[in-house]
Amino acid sequence: MRDFSSQLSGVKTVAIAGHVRPDGDCTGSCLATYNYLKNCYPEIDVTLYLEPIPNIFKFLAGSGEIVHDCEEEKTYDLFIAQDCGDAERLGKAAKYFYTAKKTICVDHHISNGSFADENYIFPDASSTSELVFGLIGEENISKEIAECIYVGIVHDTGVFQYSCTSAKTMEIAGRLMEKGIDYSGIVDETFYQKTFEQNQILGRA
């Protein structure tokens, strides 16, 4: 698989999901893919399934359209699993993975066992969001999608401090910044700022 577009021929319905208890990379990568499909393939019916995301990520485009309920019985043409090492980590959304006509997995975890029909797994990548940047194609990345990807990269690299950060990671971050995102605000508001409850817990600790 070289990009998402090569996998969409004849596809009318798509489900996207990430791991249970979604963090920044899971949320950012899934929302980036969701917004890409909504923007570039409006004829495709796309649904994003995630457990409730942290409030700090709810400014991201499409976050209000995330579906938490997996009660509906539906068979999708394509299921895209992201930032998830195995199907069971998809939680309740796994039911749609097992019944989908075709499945894709995009991930950077070394433990991933290539459980989908098509697997795009690069353990050397900083994050799944970094991989999504390449699969979408820079020409298709809007400011809103750039924000999603940047959040994912920031959170999985510890604001570019962890050893998973590479020169490629920094290059991609620079390209995202050129899309006009408030990169310093994103870092401050989603990574460094703590809620009143978090500060209480820290004080007690």
Side-chain angles (χ1 to χ4, degrees), residues 128-176:
T128 299
S129 294
E130 179 177 315
L131 298 176
V132 166
F133 176 89
L135 290 170
I136 289 177
E138 187 173 357
E139 68 279 5
N140 297 314
I141 294 177
S142 63
K143 178 183 176 183
E144 290 72 24
I145 293 173
E147 289 175 334
C148 297
I149 296 174
Y150 194 78
V151 162
I153 292 175
V154 162
H155 280 261
D156 255 26
T157 61
V159 193
F160 312 108
Q161 297 179 80
Y162 301 159
S163 60
C164 62
T165 307
S166 66
K168 182 177 181 181
T169 306
M170 300 303 290
E171 181 183 356
I172 290 173
R175 293 181 181 178
L176 296 171

Side-chain angles (χ1 to χ4, degrees), residues 21 83 120 123 137 156-157 179 191 193:
R21 296 181 296 278
D83 199 38
Y120 194 82
D156 255 26
T157 61
K179 298 290 183 178
F191 194 86
Q193 283 188 14

